[in-house]
Amino acid sequence: MPELPEVETIVRGLNQKVVGLKIADAWTDWSKTIKTHMPAKFRREIRGRKILRAHRRAKYIMMDLSGGKTLIIHQKISGHLLYGKWMVSGKKVEPAMGGPIKSDPYNRFIRFILYLNNGYMLGLSDVRRFGKVFLGDTDKIENINEIGRLGPEPLSPKFTLAKFKELMRRKRGVTKKVLMDPFVIAGIGNIYSDEILWYAEVAPTRRVEKLTDKELAAIYKYIKFVLKKAIGAKGDSLQDYRTLEGKFGNYQNMQKAYQLTGEKCQKRDGGIIKRLVIGGRSAHFCPVHQK
Ligand SMILES: [Zn+2]
């Protein structure tokens, strides 16, 4: 599932490619994608609106539109937004350009399209069809879905060590699960919780209430470090995620723990990365240096 770095990469791409353009129309073959409107009403509401800016809250992509509306896209498990050209006939969508939009099979499951006034489109490729689109009033964004209840943004300057410690001291439970809880901290999922804990030298199974001040400080430091590193790499494309142009991100080549079961720990401490299932999600860690 795309996490904060992948969503941030898409948002930066949107700010480069589509700000200032107008939405000419919309299409979907899967009416459940649009949560706030029936498709016909959605098309009427969205046509002619100008894209003013793109931003992000947790894993939600937000595009502020003219007329006080905001379009929100949550890519969920396998969705990723693409900038390209397609031909639609009935329920069939074919790429109308070369490159990764056409050649990469992960970019070929287009379920939702926004037509732009420069001839290009934004297409949501989503093999599992869990991606969601919301349209609401910009000034009431917090009322949409769970947005108002989300935890703080980990890369915000307001997310200080003191704030992080205060949040952790209020929680009980397994550290990996607490880090992945969007109502505690926004945007960290399975990939980056494994990576953060590998760097912080803390086992994912540790109880958060038993972590020392030093361990909390290390986790805090590596939350910022790993998320920034992954944004710099344009995200992790081990699975479905691609950039807005349909290209691979690069973090999958930098992974230290996630999905590396059976491989030697890159700290060369003799450890072999182990996989454990915690609350239905798998954790990957080095049993030698992660205590
Ligand atoms: Zn190790």
Side-chain angles (χ1 to χ4, degrees):
M1 186 194 270
E3 301 180 30
L4 185 155
E6 290 75 36
V7 179
E8 180 65 26
T9 305
I10 296 283
V11 165
R12 290 182 183 189
L14 290 170
N15 277 314
Q16 284 169 4
K17 301 267 187 201
V18 306
V19 166
L21 298 176
K22 279 186 178 170
I23 298 172
D25 206 347
W27 170 90
T28 185
D29 73 341
W30 188 246
S31 62
K32 286 180 185 169
T33 302
I34 305 165
K35 297 303 284 181
T36 46
H37 296 74
M38 295 302 286
K41 176 109 193 286
F42 179 81
R43 288 174 70 192
R44 283 200 302 274
E45 276 286 328
I46 201 119
R47 273 186 208 144
R49 291 190 193 270
K50 190 172 175 182
I51 302 170
L52 304 177
R53 71 173 187 128
H55 53 113
R56 179 187 61 74
R57 176 74 174 103
K59 301 177 190 174
Y60 291 87
I61 297 166
M62 300 190 173
M63 281 184 271
D64 291 345
L65 308 176
S66 56
K69 295 283 180 188
T70 294
L71 180 74
I72 302 175
I73 299 173
H74 195 305
Q75 304 176 113
K76 293 281 177 183
I77 295 172
S78 62
H80 56 276
L81 203 59
L82 296 164
Y83 178 78
K85 289 181 180 178
W86 295 270
M87 281 287 293
V88 179
S89 55
K91 291 206 164 192
K92 208 165 152 49
V93 183
E94 282 298 328
M97 62 188 285
I101 297 287
K102 187 172 181 175
S103 61
D104 184 338
Y106 282 91
N107 294 333
R108 299 289 300 264
F109 299 94
I110 305 293
R111 312 290 188 207
F112 171 83
I113 292 175
L114 286 177
Y115 292 85
L116 305 169
N117 67 342
N118 66 345
Y120 276 82
M121 302 155 205
L122 288 173
L124 182 68
S125 180
D126 188 4
V127 62
R128 307 212 21 210
R129 298 179 184 250
F130 289 116
K132 298 287 174 246
V133 174
F134 309 83
L135 180 67
D137 295 333
T138 304
D139 58 358
K140 290 182 193 135
I141 220 76
E142 303 232 320
N143 302 335
I144 293 174
N145 218 23
E146 61 188 16
I147 290 170
R149 296 186 294 126
L150 290 166
E153 284 294 327
L155 294 180
S156 157
K158 287 188 221 157
F159 186 73
T160 59
L161 177 58
K163 173 82 187 160
F164 174 66
K165 282 186 175 170
E166 182 199 315
L167 284 169
M168 292 297 111
R169 291 296 177 219
R170 271 195 254 141
K171 297 298 293 184
R172 301 193 154 267
V174 174
T175 301
K176 177 172 166 92
K177 278 188 77 180
V178 172
L179 288 181
M180 287 174 61
D181 183 344
F183 304 110
V184 179
I185 304 169
I188 300 173
N190 222 16
I191 303 171
Y192 298 107
S193 56
D194 278 353
E195 296 290 297
I196 290 160
L197 292 171
W198 184 91
Y199 280 103
E201 308 195 344
V202 172
T205 46
R206 288 279 302 284
R207 305 281 309 179
V208 76
E209 62 271 27
K210 300 250 170 90
L211 296 175
T212 64
D213 264 3
K214 203 178 151 201
E215 286 168 333
L216 286 175
I219 295 172
Y220 171 80
K221 175 183 168 187
Y222 288 110
I223 286 174
K224 301 235 182 202
F225 173 84
V226 168
L227 295 176
K228 284 180 189 164
K229 185 173 170 170
I231 292 170
K234 299 188 191 292
D236 189 305
S237 292
L238 189 66
Q239 280 131 8
D240 303 72
Y241 162 77
R242 302 290 183 267
T243 68
L244 197 62
E245 297 84 25
K247 295 178 185 164
F248 278 66
N250 209 22
Y251 192 83
Q252 68 280 8
N253 302 316
M254 302 175 184
Q255 283 169 201
K256 301 294 184 188
Y258 179 70
Q259 293 281 338
L260 294 176
T261 313
E263 294 200 20
K264 285 180 187 160
C265 175
Q266 292 174 40
K267 285 200 188 261
R268 300 181 187 197
D269 52 12
I272 301 288
I273 302 295
K274 194 173 158 184
R275 177 176 173 270
L276 260 188
V277 176
I278 302 175
R281 306 302 293 272
S282 41
H284 308 82
F285 67 104
C286 169
V288 173
H289 84 267
Q290 289 179 255
K291 301 293 184 195

